[in-house]
Amino acid sequence: KEALSNSFRHAQATLVQVSLRQLKDGTRLTVRDNGTGFHRKGVTGDGQGFVSMAARARRLGGTLSVQSRPAQGTRVVLDLPKRNSIEDVKRAEREG
């Protein structure tokens, strides 16, 4: 939800693609936009969005990666291990 919000609020994207794929060893959620992109070192503001997303991914045993370049959009990828079902994710969201 945070990655979508960032695309709409900050990136000036005209296209946002969301994909969910079952992999051999887990699940991958990808949010990609064609927005303004950014240099990670040049991010201003509190910057807590990516920190918070990465922390939530770790709590679920997963990883979060963010790739972005100015004028080339942003790609956020969440990889969750197979042991985390959709029900596990929903439970983790409810628990905060």
Side-chain angles (χ1 to χ4, degrees), residues 4 14 17 22 43 46 55 57-59 65 68 75 81 88 94:
L4 286 173
T14 59
Q17 297 174 309
Q22 186 67 44
V43 173
D46 63 18
R58 283 191 303 275
R59 278 198 306 264
S65 65
S68 188
R75 180 176 177 239
D88 293 332
R94 284 191 305 271

Side-chain angles (χ1 to χ4, degrees), residues 11 33-43 67-74:
D33 70 45
N34 69 346
T36 57
F38 58 90
H39 282 295
R40 289 291 298 260
K41 292 181 182 179
V43 173
Q67 296 96 32
S68 188
R69 288 182 157 172
Q72 295 185 16
T74 301

Side-chain angles (χ1 to χ4, degrees), residues 15-88:
L15 176 67
V16 178
Q17 297 174 309
V18 178
S19 67
L20 182 65
R21 294 181 49 202
Q22 186 67 44
L23 306 175
K24 181 175 73 171
D25 56 347
T27 303
R28 174 171 288 166
L29 173 66
T30 303
V31 178
R32 180 189 314 246
D33 70 45
N34 69 346
T36 57
F38 58 90
H39 282 295
R40 289 291 298 260
K41 292 181 182 179
V43 173
T44 58
D46 63 18
Q48 292 301 304
F50 293 125
V51 171
S52 175
M53 286 191 290
R56 285 179 284 195
R58 283 191 303 275
R59 278 198 306 264
L60 292 168
T63 60
L64 182 87
S65 65
V66 178
Q67 296 96 32
S68 188
R69 288 182 157 172
Q72 295 185 16
T74 301
R75 180 176 177 239
V76 178
V77 178
L78 169 65
D79 284 317
L80 294 174
K82 197 171 210 166
R83 63 182 168 80
N84 286 317
S85 67
I86 296 297
E87 290 77 22
D88 293 332

